[in-house]
Amino acid sequence: MFKNIKKVMVALFVFVLSVGPFAALKPVNAEGETYEIGVAIYQYNDNFMTLFRNELEAYFGELAEADGNTYNLEFQDGKNDQATQTEQLNNFIAQGKDLLIANLVDPTGADQIILSAQSAEIPVVLINREPNVSTMELWPGKTTYVGVDARQSGIYQGEMIAELDNHGDINGDGKVSYLMIMGDAGNVDAEQRTQYSIETLELTIPTESLGEHQRGNWDQAKGQEIAANALSQFGEELEVIFSNNDGMALGAVQAINGAGRVINEDIYIVGVDALPEVVELLGQGQFTGTVLNDHFNQSHTAAEVAVKLLTGEEVGSYFWHDYIKVMTAEDAELKRLDYLEETVEEYQQRLIDTYGE
């Protein structure tokens, strides 16, 4: 409250100088506002979030040049530990940051962070990991989520395999035998990408999971280990590897090459994120397909929504961007795209209309 009163008093003082008798004596100070922003990233050791973090910082710099304000961003690495990240966020609140941007380790634990920020009148922009709907109802107008619908990425993965001439059935036995490499437990993106990729493929051809779905926790080395074990155990029976992200998929590619298999000839692999390394492999015919998790547009929208909140505006509960199916390098080209802004009620109705949820 005191922060807002101070800004109002400063604005009134500048107004008086500009229109009163002092206007002829002294020019108005043209300097903009200075804002302190705390940014919590679930872990720096994540390919996608590194792209997001760098683009977010760069775009705030562009906004500063355009509007004359100063945006001081303090980044913290949560090291994939919620207790560590909660302490970092509580420190941001204690320091009196003007705004929080949070990529939470565990979105299910977001409620206490939101309530603490609300008590300190610090707006919150949640990014990348979708929180529960109930979280978004705690402080409407001052809390928002900027992201993508993970169901869409799973659907696109399934479609990419289904649209192949053989629908992923390399050995011609009438079904697709696959390995699923998942993100961390309880993560909504991991669960939805897993579910919708297979459900979508099964609209075209039956599938069979070779063993249990494996948790790679978004880690490239873990992805390599899981794929190597599966290739050793199942051999040529393994036809398709689904990976919840490109980082783990890159590890799987190393395992595939090490096993002497040839991608797009005797095995297929699809991921999510359209990392530059994967886009390069696509151009060389050494990857089947990925889905662009658009860090460029998400980071830009997160920054723009943050500026609205910093200037006192209320915003919608959700700002959505689309995933983009990537089968060629050209499909992954970055450009500014529109977003969909929704209230909680609009989001819930869309889920019913689109997915029957």
Side-chain angles (χ1 to χ4, degrees):
M1 181 174 66
F2 298 110
K3 212 178 326 184
N4 293 335
I5 291 174
K6 179 181 177 182
K7 289 179 180 177
V8 169
M9 294 299 293
V10 170
L12 287 172
F13 179 67
V14 170
F15 175 75
V16 170
L17 286 178
S18 64
V19 301
F22 299 101
L25 301 177
K26 184 177 181 179
V28 177
N29 188 345
E31 292 181 3
E33 294 281 355
T34 295
Y35 297 106
E36 304 296 333
I37 302 172
V39 186
I41 304 298
Y42 94 98
Q43 71 171 353
Y44 282 6
N45 186 27
D46 179 291
N47 310 66
F48 173 76
M49 286 312 302
T50 297
L51 293 173
F52 193 115
R53 175 164 47 96
N54 293 339
E55 187 62 36
L56 181 70
E57 185 172 23
Y59 189 56
F60 264 111
E62 293 179 26
L63 291 175
E65 290 185 8
D67 63 21
N69 293 325
T70 299
Y71 302 101
N72 294 325
L73 276 64
E74 180 181 346
F75 289 87
Q76 290 290 333
D77 178 5
K79 302 184 186 301
N80 203 26
D81 181 82
Q82 188 57 62
T84 297
Q85 188 180 64
T86 298
E87 182 179 358
Q88 293 167 348
L89 286 164
N90 285 335
N91 287 338
F92 284 156
I93 293 171
Q95 293 165 11
K97 297 292 188 188
D98 295 301
L99 181 125
L100 302 180
I101 298 177
N103 164 224
L104 295 176
V105 173
D106 181 8
T108 62
D111 289 15
Q112 190 54 55
I113 296 298
I114 299 300
L115 293 173
S116 297
Q118 182 183 24
S119 296
E121 298 186 10
I122 301 174
V124 181
V125 179
L126 300 171
I127 58 172
N128 182 247
R129 294 186 165 196
E130 184 181 344
N132 293 327
V133 168
S134 59
T135 298
M136 304 310 298
E137 295 174 322
L138 292 174
W139 195 21
K142 298 299 183 180
T143 302
T144 192
Y145 172 69
V146 178
V148 282
D149 185 345
R151 302 168 187 82
Q152 186 184 47
S153 60
I155 289 170
Y156 284 169
Q157 282 190 313
E159 288 178 351
M160 286 188 287
I161 299 300
E163 291 166 359
L164 296 170
D165 290 341
N166 59 9
H167 313 305
D169 179 18
I170 293 171
N171 60 22
D173 64 355
K175 67 178 186 297
V176 174
S177 299
Y178 71 92
L179 168 69
M180 180 67 69
I181 308 179
M182 298 182 66
D184 53 344
N187 182 280
V188 65
D189 287 4
E191 302 299 331
Q192 291 179 349
R193 288 171 186 172
T194 297
Q195 174 186 347
Y196 283 90
S197 60
I198 302 306
E199 287 184 359
T200 299
L201 180 56
E202 286 183 338
L203 295 175
T204 300
I205 189 171
T207 69
E208 178 185 0
S209 176
L210 297 180
E212 297 293 325
H213 296 171
Q214 300 293 309
R215 295 280 181 189
N217 296 326
W218 314 112
D219 183 72
Q220 181 169 336
K222 190 65 176 176
Q224 181 178 7
E225 177 187 339
I226 291 170
N229 290 339
L231 288 161
S232 175
Q233 180 177 356
F234 300 108
E236 294 184 359
E237 188 180 356
L238 177 56
E239 297 170 302
V240 177
I241 295 179
F242 288 92
S243 177
N244 283 173
N245 80 339
D246 279 352
M248 297 184 296
L250 286 169
V253 168
Q254 293 174 297
I256 291 168
N257 294 337
R261 302 287 290 274
V262 181
I263 294 172
N264 293 333
E265 291 186 16
D266 59 20
I267 193 169
Y268 299 110
I269 182 166
V270 289
V272 176
D273 285 338
L275 295 178
E277 304 95 317
V278 168
V279 173
E280 183 177 351
L281 289 174
L282 275 171
Q284 299 168 354
Q286 297 175 28
F287 205 89
T288 306
T290 185
V291 182
L292 176 60
N293 189 4
D294 192 345
H295 72 277
F296 179 83
N297 278 288
Q298 290 176 66
S299 60
H300 284 217
T301 297
E304 291 171 6
V305 173
V307 171
K308 290 182 179 182
L309 288 166
L310 286 167
T311 55
E313 292 187 40
E314 293 199 348
V315 299
S317 297
Y318 296 95
F319 289 80
W320 300 104
H321 282 283
D322 282 325
Y323 283 98
I324 298 172
K325 194 185 301 184
V326 178
M327 300 291 286
T328 68
E330 290 72 24
D331 295 333
E333 292 180 359
L334 301 175
K335 56 185 177 182
R336 193 69 174 110
L337 299 171
D338 290 336
Y339 52 74
L340 171 67
E341 181 177 0
E342 288 183 314
T343 64
V344 167
E345 294 74 22
E346 289 168 338
Y347 174 49
Q348 290 178 311
Q349 187 60 52
R350 179 167 61 83
L351 293 184
I352 294 171
D353 296 341
T354 306
Y355 304 109
E357 297 184 5

